[in-house]
Amino acid sequence: MRHIISKCRRCRAGGRLLWMLLLLPVHLSAQAGAPDVHTRSIVVDLHSDVLLQVLRGADISRKLPYGQVDLIRLREGGVDVQFFAVWPDPDKYLPDKMYHQAVYMISRLKAILAENPDKAELALSVSQIERIVAQGKLAACIGVEGGTAIENDLNKIDSLCRMGARYLGLTWNDSPPWATSGEDEYKLKAGEPKGLTEFGRRVIRRMNDLGMIVDLSHSGEQTFRDVIETTRKPVIASHSDVYNLRHHYRNLKDWQIRAIAQNGGVIGMNFYPEFLDYSYTDAIDKALKDGDARLDSMRQVFGSDYLGYRAYRSNYLKSVIDTLPGVARVVDHMDYIIGLVGDDYVAVGSDFDGITLAPKGLEDVSQLPNLTREMIKRGYSDERITKILGGNFLRVMRAQIN
Ligand SMILES: [Zn+2]
């Protein structure tokens, strides 16, 4: 109870404690069975691609039989704050249509929020997050993924920020002309230019001025280095893991983890098995190769029912891959960062609905309490768990304000 009251104080500064206590049971009842510390903490997920499901026709206001996220399962998983990734797919849209697509995705999210005022509300600041969470609702935040969305125009950063975007990932796997991605830096030959251009540095400064968080997930090492040199505010890697545990250009090397710690930022742990462990890559390659003919014919059977096919494919892969990492592997990555720089820089960035398969025990967002159970099993203190589940990120968000 002591902790519940202390959460109340965080949620609503001032004299509304009684009101808070009246509302809190609504919030708690949705998370029956979750560990107390999970229920008491403000739980933040820094990255979900569920808006892609929305674009494919999913109604996320009801519990879906496929995919990894919807408003009901977010509640079951005790998530208080969800960053909805706005990702204009560079393979689908021309470079001068990326901003338009980002704006469209934001409008789709806002329409969902308008239709579900009892379940979720857009949050633009930590104080708004605290108010919305205290009302027992999901605080919905917007993060744009891919700097191509600004179409080389600083004013479009202002516009996205005005529409509610609170972070911008500088690159996706593709690169805007002013910053190189991890994938592109990995492929570039020696001597080819990498990192931020002068315009790229202006992007960072404009974001700092606006209080919009710089997201370095997907950025290449040189871009990362240039950003750390340029930014005046804490940055995030919204959905990345540890390179030393799984060598992959999407993961962070020790120097990058130290740099984020020095900068006061956070790293959101990505649940994608490919980034967590070596065992997955061979297994998925084999499963896709062995199942190629079957998947291809099922694609024809499902025809335009893309969501149905996706659910089938995911279930098929789950049935043939027996080496998926479990929840413990996610916490291994957390442990590594904590060992290197302490527990102030770890957060959660699931990447749900952007990943083909998820770890065992974290198959969808409703199972997020299992992550907390694993942290408890390893002897993490309540204070540490609360920081990882959301406290660390809220510190970063607060620090954006001048
Ligand atoms: Zn991503």
Side-chain angles (χ1 to χ4, degrees):
M1 195 59 186
R2 181 176 63 79
H3 295 288
I4 292 174
I5 289 172
S6 83
K7 176 168 177 175
C8 295
R9 286 194 178 127
R10 276 212 316 276
C11 293
R12 291 290 289 180
R16 300 199 186 177
L17 191 59
L18 183 60
W19 180 71
M20 268 288 312
L21 286 170
L22 289 173
L23 284 169
L24 207 57
V26 177
H27 182 58
L28 298 184
S29 63
Q31 302 169 34
D36 284 352
V37 64
H38 190 90
T39 309
R40 289 192 307 263
S41 302
I42 295 186
V43 178
V44 182
D45 178 7
L46 288 175
H47 197 96
S48 160
D49 278 308
V50 69
L51 288 180
L52 297 179
Q53 300 275 38
V54 171
L55 295 183
R56 292 168 189 140
D59 172 9
I60 62 165
S61 65
R62 62 189 185 88
K63 190 164 178 172
L64 297 168
Y66 53 79
Q68 294 154 338
V69 179
D70 50 57
L71 295 184
I72 311 301
R73 282 181 289 175
L74 280 163
R75 196 176 177 79
E76 289 172 356
V79 176
D80 296 303
V81 183
Q82 179 64 64
F83 269 84
F84 290 83
V86 165
W87 173 66
D89 182 347
D91 293 331
K92 278 195 181 155
Y93 306 100
L94 292 168
D96 64 349
K97 295 287 183 283
M98 297 295 272
Y99 173 76
H100 179 267
Q101 178 61 12
V103 171
Y104 174 67
M105 290 181 76
I106 290 173
S107 74
R108 290 295 300 267
L109 174 64
K110 287 185 176 174
I112 293 165
L113 300 177
E115 284 160 15
N116 296 278
D118 56 323
K119 294 193 185 81
E121 185 180 334
L122 184 69
L124 304 175
S125 63
V126 174
S127 60
Q128 289 186 13
I129 286 173
E130 288 171 340
R131 173 183 58 76
I132 294 164
V133 172
Q135 291 171 344
K137 296 193 289 190
L138 175 77
C141 295
I142 299 168
V144 177
E145 182 173 29
T148 46
I150 68 162
E151 297 178 359
N152 310 316
D153 178 357
L154 292 177
N155 293 324
K156 290 194 167 81
I157 305 176
D158 300 38
S159 304
L160 290 169
C161 189
R162 267 200 305 277
M163 283 176 238
R166 284 300 173 264
Y167 72 64
L168 171 67
L170 303 183
T171 78
W172 179 62
N173 290 334
D174 65 326
S175 306
W178 43 268
T180 41
S181 70
E183 184 169 312
D184 283 344
E185 286 196 19
Y186 178 71
K187 289 177 186 162
L188 281 168
K189 296 184 183 73
E192 291 188 273
K194 293 178 186 174
L196 286 182
T197 62
E198 185 43 43
F199 178 81
R201 290 182 192 272
R202 287 170 63 200
V203 168
I204 304 305
R205 288 192 279 267
R206 179 68 73 99
M207 289 176 69
N208 285 168
D209 291 345
L210 291 167
M212 199 171 175
I213 303 168
V214 177
D215 180 8
L216 285 168
S217 279
H218 287 283
S219 281
E221 279 189 76
Q222 189 56 48
T223 300
F224 190 107
R225 198 172 280 117
D226 293 345
V227 168
I228 290 290
E229 235 177 63
T230 309
T231 184
R232 309 186 312 272
K233 303 268 176 76
V235 299
I236 61 171
S238 66
H239 55 307
S240 293
D241 294 319
V242 172
Y243 185 86
N244 260 358
L245 297 182
R246 165 64 172 107
H247 288 198
H248 194 292
Y249 57 77
R250 277 285 284 106
N251 285 344
L252 299 174
K253 293 184 175 169
D254 284 2
W255 77 264
Q256 293 175 296
I257 295 167
R258 287 198 183 94
I260 286 198
Q262 249 179 3
N263 159 274
V266 291
I267 302 161
M269 295 292 97
N270 192 316
F271 296 172
Y272 190 28
E274 168 102 30
F275 302 157
L276 289 169
D277 201 85
Y278 291 98
S279 61
Y280 174 77
T281 312
D282 291 344
I284 187 94
D285 285 351
K286 186 174 180 313
L288 286 171
K289 202 167 152 229
D290 294 350
D292 188 45
R294 174 204 272 249
L295 288 170
D296 204 42
S297 67
M298 288 309 288
R299 193 183 290 121
Q300 318 291 332
V301 172
F302 279 98
S304 61
D305 179 12
Y306 180 77
L307 291 172
Y309 171 68
R310 198 179 150 91
Y312 172 83
R313 183 177 181 273
S314 165
N315 286 333
Y316 168 75
L317 292 173
K318 253 186 262 175
S319 72
V320 294
I321 295 178
D322 54 6
T323 54
L324 274 178
V327 187
R329 189 60 181 165
V330 179
V331 183
D332 287 348
H333 283 250
M334 289 178 172
D335 266 349
Y336 186 94
I337 296 176
I338 293 167
L340 198 65
V341 292
D343 61 12
D344 289 321
Y345 314 104
V346 182
V348 175
S350 69
D351 213 356
F352 275 140
D353 277 332
I355 58 182
T356 326
L357 293 178
K360 276 186 205 149
L362 281 173
E363 277 88 359
D364 68 19
V365 70
S366 71
Q367 299 189 1
L368 200 63
N370 287 339
L371 188 68
T372 301
R373 288 188 185 98
E374 179 65 24
M375 291 194 267
I376 293 168
K377 206 167 116 191
R378 293 201 191 191
Y380 284 20
S381 67
D382 282 6
E383 188 199 355
R384 170 175 285 181
I385 293 171
T386 295
K387 285 202 276 188
I388 292 170
L389 288 177
N392 288 338
F393 171 74
L394 295 178
R395 181 197 72 229
V396 170
M397 195 166 177
R398 265 188 213 104
Q400 303 301 313
I401 300 163
N402 292 309

